[in-house]
PDB file of all heavy atoms in Angstrom:
ATOM      1  N   VAL A 117      96.162 139.474  90.967  1.00 68.00           N
ATOM      2  CA  VAL A 117      95.832 140.179  92.199  1.00 68.00           C
ATOM      3  C   VAL A 117      94.954 141.351  91.796  1.00 68.00           C
ATOM      4  O   VAL A 117      95.363 142.195  91.011  1.00 68.00           O
ATOM      5  CB  VAL A 117      97.103 140.669  92.932  1.00 68.00           C
ATOM      6  CG1 VAL A 117      96.734 141.435  94.185  1.00 68.00           C
ATOM      7  CG2 VAL A 117      97.993 139.481  93.266  1.00 68.00           C
ATOM      8  N   TYR A 118      93.733 141.362  92.304  1.00 62.00           N
ATOM      9  CA  TYR A 118      92.792 142.406  91.918  1.00 62.00           C
ATOM     10  C   TYR A 118      91.885 142.736  93.085  1.00 62.00           C
ATOM     11  O   TYR A 118      91.739 141.945  94.005  1.00 62.00           O
ATOM     12  CB  TYR A 118      91.983 142.010  90.681  1.00 62.00           C
ATOM     13  CG  TYR A 118      91.373 140.634  90.717  1.00 62.00           C
ATOM     14  CD1 TYR A 118      90.073 140.434  91.118  1.00 62.00           C
ATOM     15  CD2 TYR A 118      92.110 139.522  90.314  1.00 62.00           C
ATOM     16  CE1 TYR A 118      89.507 139.174  91.137  1.00 62.00           C
ATOM     17  CE2 TYR A 118      91.558 138.256  90.325  1.00 62.00           C
ATOM     18  CZ  TYR A 118      90.252 138.092  90.737  1.00 62.00           C
ATOM     19  OH  TYR A 118      89.699 136.851  90.758  1.00 62.00           O
ATOM     20  N   ASP A 119      91.306 143.920  93.023  1.00 59.00           N
ATOM     21  CA  ASP A 119      90.453 144.403  94.103  1.00 59.00           C
ATOM     22  C   ASP A 119      88.985 144.238  93.738  1.00 59.00           C
ATOM     23  O   ASP A 119      88.540 144.737  92.708  1.00 59.00           O
ATOM     24  CB  ASP A 119      90.731 145.886  94.381  1.00 59.00           C
ATOM     25  CG  ASP A 119      92.127 146.092  94.925  1.00 59.00           C
ATOM     26  OD1 ASP A 119      92.577 145.241  95.719  1.00 59.00           O
ATOM     27  OD2 ASP A 119      92.774 147.082  94.552  1.00 59.00           O
ATOM     28  N   ASP A 120      88.281 143.521  94.589  1.00 53.00           N
ATOM     29  CA  ASP A 120      86.839 143.358  94.457  1.00 53.00           C
ATOM     30  C   ASP A 120      86.420 142.927  93.062  1.00 53.00           C
ATOM     31  O   ASP A 120      85.368 143.313  92.579  1.00 53.00           O
ATOM     32  CB  ASP A 120      86.118 144.647  94.857  1.00 53.00           C
ATOM     33  CG  ASP A 120      86.484 145.063  96.274  1.00 53.00           C
ATOM     34  OD1 ASP A 120      86.671 144.169  97.118  1.00 53.00           O
ATOM     35  OD2 ASP A 120      86.612 146.267  96.530  1.00 53.00           O
ATOM     36  N   GLY A 121      87.257 142.145  92.385  1.00 46.00           N
ATOM     37  CA  GLY A 121      86.925 141.637  91.070  1.00 46.00           C
ATOM     38  C   GLY A 121      86.891 142.695  89.995  1.00 46.00           C
ATOM     39  O   GLY A 121      86.404 142.452  88.904  1.00 46.00           O
ATOM     40  N   ALA A 122      87.426 143.878  90.265  1.00 46.00           N
ATOM     41  CA  ALA A 122      87.249 144.999  89.335  1.00 46.00           C
ATOM     42  C   ALA A 122      88.356 145.139  88.300  1.00 46.00           C
ATOM     43  O   ALA A 122      88.168 145.795  87.303  1.00 46.00           O
ATOM     44  CB  ALA A 122      87.141 146.297  90.127  1.00 46.00           C
ATOM     45  N   VAL A 123      89.500 144.538  88.536  1.00 44.00           N
ATOM     46  CA  VAL A 123      90.625 144.743  87.625  1.00 44.00           C
ATOM     47  C   VAL A 123      91.163 143.401  87.173  1.00 44.00           C
ATOM     48  O   VAL A 123      91.377 142.515  87.984  1.00 44.00           O
ATOM     49  CB  VAL A 123      91.754 145.528  88.335  1.00 44.00           C
ATOM     50  CG1 VAL A 123      92.939 145.733  87.415  1.00 44.00           C
ATOM     51  CG2 VAL A 123      91.238 146.868  88.824  1.00 44.00           C
ATOM     52  N   GLY A 124      91.399 143.232  85.896  1.00 51.00           N
ATOM     53  CA  GLY A 124      92.081 142.061  85.358  1.00 51.00           C
ATOM     54  C   GLY A 124      91.341 140.766  85.540  1.00 51.00           C
ATOM     55  O   GLY A 124      90.816 140.215  84.600  1.00 51.00           O
ATOM     56  N   GLY A 125      91.317 140.242  86.749  1.00 56.00           N
ATOM     57  CA  GLY A 125      90.727 138.949  87.020  1.00 56.00           C
ATOM     58  C   GLY A 125      89.252 138.876  86.684  1.00 56.00           C
ATOM     59  O   GLY A 125      88.781 137.849  86.213  1.00 56.00           O
ATOM     60  N   ALA A 126      88.510 139.948  86.911  1.00 64.00           N
ATOM     61  CA  ALA A 126      87.075 139.922  86.644  1.00 64.00           C
ATOM     62  C   ALA A 126      86.805 139.703  85.167  1.00 64.00           C
ATOM     63  O   ALA A 126      85.955 138.896  84.800  1.00 64.00           O
ATOM     64  CB  ALA A 126      86.414 141.207  87.122  1.00 64.00           C
ATOM     65  N   SER A 127      87.518 140.379  84.297  1.00 79.00           N
ATOM     66  CA  SER A 127      87.288 140.196  82.870  1.00 79.00           C
ATOM     67  C   SER A 127      87.701 138.803  82.426  1.00 79.00           C
ATOM     68  O   SER A 127      87.046 138.200  81.581  1.00 79.00           O
ATOM     69  CB  SER A 127      88.009 141.273  82.058  1.00 79.00           C
ATOM     70  OG  SER A 127      89.400 141.219  82.286  1.00 79.00           O
ATOM     71  N   LEU A 128      88.774 138.265  83.009  1.00 80.00           N
ATOM     72  CA  LEU A 128      89.163 136.887  82.707  1.00 80.00           C
ATOM     73  C   LEU A 128      88.099 135.918  83.191  1.00 80.00           C
ATOM     74  O   LEU A 128      87.719 134.985  82.474  1.00 80.00           O
ATOM     75  CB  LEU A 128      90.494 136.535  83.379  1.00 80.00           C
ATOM     76  CG  LEU A 128      91.770 136.984  82.707  1.00 80.00           C
ATOM     77  CD1 LEU A 128      92.975 136.618  83.566  1.00 80.00           C
ATOM     78  CD2 LEU A 128      91.909 136.382  81.329  1.00 80.00           C
ATOM     79  N   GLU A 129      87.608 136.114  84.420  1.00 82.00           N
ATOM     80  CA  GLU A 129      86.570 135.231  84.950  1.00 82.00           C
ATOM     81  C   GLU A 129      85.334 135.249  84.060  1.00 82.00           C
ATOM     82  O   GLU A 129      84.758 134.209  83.761  1.00 82.00           O
ATOM     83  CB  GLU A 129      86.192 135.633  86.374  1.00 82.00           C
ATOM     84  CG  GLU A 129      87.215 135.244  87.395  1.00 82.00           C
ATOM     85  CD  GLU A 129      86.800 135.589  88.815  1.00 82.00           C
ATOM     86  OE1 GLU A 129      85.614 135.916  89.035  1.00 82.00           O
ATOM     87  OE2 GLU A 129      87.661 135.527  89.696  1.00 82.00           O
ATOM     88  N   GLU A 130      84.926 136.438  83.625  1.00 85.00           N
ATOM     89  CA  GLU A 130      83.754 136.559  82.757  1.00 85.00           C
ATOM     90  C   GLU A 130      83.999 135.864  81.426  1.00 85.00           C
ATOM     91  O   GLU A 130      83.122 135.156  80.918  1.00 85.00           O
ATOM     92  CB  GLU A 130      83.412 138.029  82.539  1.00 85.00           C
ATOM     93  CG  GLU A 130      82.868 138.706  83.785  1.00 85.00           C
ATOM     94  CD  GLU A 130      82.787 140.218  83.652  1.00 85.00           C
ATOM     95  OE1 GLU A 130      83.063 140.757  82.568  1.00 85.00           O
ATOM     96  OE2 GLU A 130      82.458 140.863  84.667  1.00 85.00           O
TER      97      GLU A 130
END
Side-chain angles (χ1 to χ4, degrees):
V117 178
Y118 48 96
D119 294 322
D120 303 324
V123 179
S127 60
L128 279 176
E129 285 183 13
E130 290 169 5

